[in-house]
Amino acid sequence: MKAIGKAITVYDVYDRAKSGPKMDEKEWDFKVIPQTAAALKKKYGIKMDKKTIIPEDKELCDKLFQAGLDLLVECGVYCIDTKRVIKYTRDEVLHAIKTAPDHFTYGEGKEAINVVPRHSSEKKAPVIQGGPTGSPCSEEMFLPIHQAYAQEPIVDTIVDGVMQTVMGKDPVPGSPWEIMAVRSEALQVREAQMRAGRCGMGL
């Protein structure tokens, strides 16, 4: 009888970020990842049709999954703060996939949406996330940009941008201005949703 896998906790991840293999970020980004990906592409005989953005061939999808799994297990996840690689075993990754939630609710009230897995052959429309998605936005245009996205009926949730300045100040990481900027971003996106008549929209 196969043993039941153990769920990885935030404490496990923290410990591994402190004790994992030491590595330079550039080596991981420009050597480990591309070399491993190239080897896995050859191993699984993966050939992509440039005219097909999202592959639907079941055999190719299975190969891509196996290659992605191998890539995660072999390369791990790089922690910029500790300059170490967080490693996971194959069993840990598969257990995490098996026990992951199969649905969740995003947003509140009439704007709440139920997010569920979707297969390529399904006719059900995907969840549409609109927004500048981490792109820098000027302080003056931040609210109207997000309101424009919220006003689009096809958009289900907002993925907000980043304020370039807050009260004219540079939100330097680790400074009080960074905290002010994050707070201001959240408040302004909620204001934009309200102006668009989309209160409760997921953010």
Side-chain angles (χ1 to χ4, degrees):
M1 183 176 176
K2 190 175 180 180
I4 298 174
K6 174 185 174 293
I8 296 295
T9 68
V10 67
Y11 305 106
D12 295 321
V13 176
Y14 176 82
D15 288 343
R16 293 178 193 188
K18 291 282 191 179
S19 62
K22 195 87 172 174
M23 186 177 294
D24 182 75
E25 184 180 354
K26 289 184 178 179
E27 181 182 359
W28 194 82
D29 276 340
F30 302 120
K31 184 178 178 182
V32 174
I33 291 294
Q35 288 183 0
T36 306
L40 291 171
K41 178 184 176 183
K42 183 177 180 180
K43 174 184 176 181
Y44 288 102
I46 296 173
K47 293 181 180 180
M48 301 294 290
D49 180 359
K50 293 182 180 180
K51 295 180 181 179
T52 305
I53 298 175
I54 302 175
E56 296 182 0
D57 178 75
K58 189 177 185 303
E59 184 180 353
L60 177 57
C61 290
D62 288 340
K63 287 180 179 180
L64 288 169
F65 174 82
Q66 290 302 326
L69 176 61
D70 287 355
L71 186 71
L72 175 56
V73 172
E74 290 180 32
C75 298
V77 176
Y78 191 78
C79 179
I80 296 174
D81 292 333
T82 62
K83 300 189 184 305
R84 292 180 182 273
V85 179
I86 303 170
K87 301 286 281 186
Y88 300 99
T89 67
R90 180 173 295 269
D91 285 343
E92 287 172 340
V93 176
L94 291 174
H95 178 73
I97 293 172
K98 187 176 181 180
T99 57
D102 62 359
H103 70 280
F104 64 90
T105 301
Y106 202 9
E108 299 176 327
K110 68 181 181 66
E111 295 298 337
I113 58 169
N114 192 33
V115 182
V116 297
R118 214 177 141 271
H119 298 288
S120 59
S121 59
E122 288 186 29
K123 294 184 178 179
K124 177 184 171 69
V127 171
I128 305 295
Q129 293 190 294
T133 316
S135 297
C137 302
S138 70
E139 195 170 347
E140 296 75 22
M141 294 302 297
F142 190 89
L143 195 151
I145 286 172
H146 290 79
Q147 182 178 340
Y149 279 104
Q151 287 174 176
E152 293 296 328
I154 195 174
V155 173
D156 297 306
T157 71
I158 295 292
V159 185
D160 63 312
V162 178
M163 293 180 69
Q164 291 179 302
T165 59
V166 57
M167 298 177 66
K169 301 290 186 178
D170 182 9
V172 179
S175 72
W177 292 113
E178 180 186 32
I179 298 171
M180 174 71 81
V182 172
R183 183 175 182 275
S184 183
E185 287 165 6
L187 290 172
Q188 288 197 54
V189 174
R190 289 305 188 200
E191 174 69 18
Q193 292 172 339
M194 184 186 73
R195 292 186 183 188
R198 305 285 302 274
C199 289
M201 195 179 191
L203 168 58

